[in-house]
Amino acid sequence: MRALCRAVPSSFAHALSAAPPDPPIDVALARAQHAAYVAALGALGVAVTVLPADEALPDCTFVEDTAVVAGGTALVTRPGAPSRRAEVTAVAAALAGLDVHVMEAPATLDGGDVLRAGRTFFVGLSARTNRAGADRLAAAFPDHRVIALEVPPSVLHLKSACSPLGDEAILLAEGSLDPHLFRGVDIVSTPEAHAANAVAVGNGVVVAAGAPGTRALLERRGLRVIEVDTGEMRKADGALTCLSILL
Ligand code: CIR
């Protein structure tokens, strides 16, 4: 397994957030948390490439939003936030060895709205991802089924509230989305909302620190849990899956 990450720019202090963070983002701490995340992926056997940050793009560390990759195919997205659109250039270059498709206007899609469970993509229709974006995803991955779900306005991305645990299960923040929307997969509910976004790789999983209940749930499923502090990422409405593209 390989993964693409992107370093934290100094301008991360001005990353998009629904509410101005108080206290403000500590960029040095964000970098330390990012380094711990990269190390956690490494400990789970993932070979990580860290692309350089771009100071002109405060949100560029949230690399997940810029591409959807499955098998040998990549769809370079058109992020919903105009300030994030230029993030895709460096990512597209890094994906050049794959069969690369590029999304065009009027489609918009953030990778944070795409949850893959085996050959099914659940796609959140959100403030960032529109129906044309979901349709473009379906066209780029004809061997996958695309199921579009409405994301409530209080939730930034589909995966702000959930994340895949392998191909057959989804970790879901209790009370966030109707579990019945996810047909054909097991739902593992956690009351610790900030920990519902985790990165599962093989028999390991990277989980937000400070969520002992979620940790115990995942350990009971036989997963090796590595905790990473996500405090500074959360100030910019980010979580763990946002920080990588698994290839
Ligand atoms: C944004 O608002 O776009 C960023 N500050 C946070 C993006 C988080 N990405 C993700 O959940 N996939």
Side-chain angles (χ1 to χ4, degrees):
M1 172 73 80
R2 292 185 301 133
L4 213 56
C5 293
R6 195 162 186 186
V8 177
S10 300
S11 60
F12 185 61
H14 309 292
L16 295 175
S17 63
D22 181 21
I25 290 173
D26 176 335
V27 174
L29 185 52
R31 286 188 172 132
Q33 292 173 355
H34 190 264
Y37 176 83
V38 170
L41 289 181
L44 295 179
V46 180
V48 183
T49 302
V50 182
L51 300 176
D54 183 334
E55 286 301 333
L57 301 168
D59 285 287
C60 67
T61 200
F62 298 123
V63 70
E64 167 180 66
D65 293 319
T66 60
V68 177
V69 177
T73 300
L75 174 63
V76 174
T77 68
R78 182 166 176 270
S83 68
R84 300 197 55 191
R85 301 235 165 104
E87 291 176 26
V88 302
T89 310
V91 174
L95 296 174
L98 303 178
D99 174 21
V100 178
H101 301 242
V102 177
M103 187 172 280
E104 307 285 352
T108 62
L109 181 139
D110 283 7
D113 277 318
V114 179
L115 186 157
R116 188 175 67 79
R119 294 211 171 246
T120 301
F121 284 120
F122 294 99
V123 181
L125 301 176
S126 69
R128 300 293 178 85
T129 296
N130 62 20
R131 180 73 63 175
D135 290 346
R136 183 68 184 90
L137 181 77
F141 295 93
D143 53 346
H144 284 64
R145 174 170 70 138
V146 170
I147 298 178
L149 314 173
E150 296 289 340
V151 172
S154 56
V155 178
L156 175 62
H157 289 129
L158 177 68
K159 283 191 289 187
S160 306
C162 57
S163 52
L165 295 173
D167 286 347
E168 273 136 36
I170 290 176
L171 181 62
L172 176 66
E174 245 169 59
S176 59
L177 301 166
D178 179 356
H180 298 105
L181 294 170
F182 299 99
R183 274 173 277 139
V185 283
D186 287 347
I187 295 295
V188 180
S189 287
T190 175
E192 295 161 333
H194 80 281
N197 180 286
V199 179
V201 181
N203 65 349
V205 59
V206 186
V207 178
T214 310
R215 180 184 185 122
L217 265 177
L218 297 175
E219 284 178 340
R220 276 204 296 277
R221 291 180 69 88
L223 294 168
R224 173 184 169 204
V225 173
I226 303 182
E227 289 187 20
V228 170
D229 192 348
T230 56
E232 298 313 291
M233 303 304 166
R234 281 160 65 190
K235 289 181 185 175
D237 303 334
L240 292 169
T241 64
C242 326
L243 298 175
S244 60
I245 302 170
L246 299 176
L247 307 175

